Amino acid sequence: MSECIFCKIAAKEIPAQILYEDDVMMAFHDVAPQAPVHILMISKKHIISLDDCKKEDEELLGKMLNKVKEIAKSAGMENGYRLVINCGEDGMQTVQHLHFHLLGKRKMTWPPG
Ligand code: 5GP
Ligand code: ZN
């Protein structure tokens, strides 16, 4: 867990452009943005992926999902946004710590790549 980059960001051992933080989550700008605004929302708790969430994590997941709109609005995404959770190998998850991608300020395409 000590090698987890998002745990290190949550512990402020690695700097990030933090937009929001409370006792259970943090939001910061992605270092390699895929849209004009690309925010990552992470749980402070080290959970590997959506696949690894347990019953006890339901409140945390609900809080994170319900916070999306507030962070989106504060980042200027008045016209909508896309929320992405990559999970596992086929989902192309590269950081093994639960996170939401919140992308906006451009028109998205569908289907995603
Ligand atoms: P995944 O591919 O796991 O869904 O997303 C991981 C995301 O984390 C990628 O978009 C990548 O750019 C971002 N990322 C990886 N390392 C860092 C970092 O040290 N700082 C920040 N801000 N973002 C990172
Ligand atoms: Zn972690």
Side-chain angles (χ1 to χ4, degrees):
M1 200 177 297
S2 60
E3 289 311 305
C4 173
I5 195 139
F6 287 174
C7 280
K8 286 183 175 173
I9 288 175
K12 310 226 171 89
E13 290 168 13
I14 289 178
Q17 284 181 270
I18 298 168
L19 298 163
Y20 176 81
E21 179 179 9
D22 62 24
D23 53 332
V24 296
M25 74 185 93
M26 186 182 265
F28 51 87
H29 288 288
D30 195 296
V31 79
Q34 302 302 310
V37 182
H38 183 170
I39 295 164
L40 296 174
M41 294 174 63
I42 66 166
S43 55
K44 286 194 171 173
K45 178 181 176 185
H46 181 81
I47 302 170
I48 293 171
S49 77
L50 204 54
D51 258 2
D52 299 279
C53 290
K54 300 186 165 56
K55 184 89 182 153
E56 69 205 39
D57 299 316
E58 283 179 357
E59 187 180 346
L60 165 66
L61 289 168
K63 281 185 178 176
M64 289 180 70
L65 266 182
N66 214 24
K67 190 55 74 174
V68 168
K69 59 182 181 298
E70 192 182 304
I71 294 170
K73 295 293 173 292
S74 71
M77 299 177 189
E78 293 88 5
N79 211 33
Y81 49 81
R82 181 166 291 169
L83 189 72
V84 174
I85 305 174
N86 295 328
C87 184
E89 195 178 339
D90 280 2
M92 292 291 284
Q93 181 178 0
T94 61
V95 176
Q96 309 308 311
H97 178 129
L98 180 70
H99 54 283
F100 301 172
H101 295 261
L102 175 56
L103 302 133
K105 301 295 276 180
R106 72 166 163 83
K107 195 89 170 176
M108 302 297 155
T109 58
W110 194 262

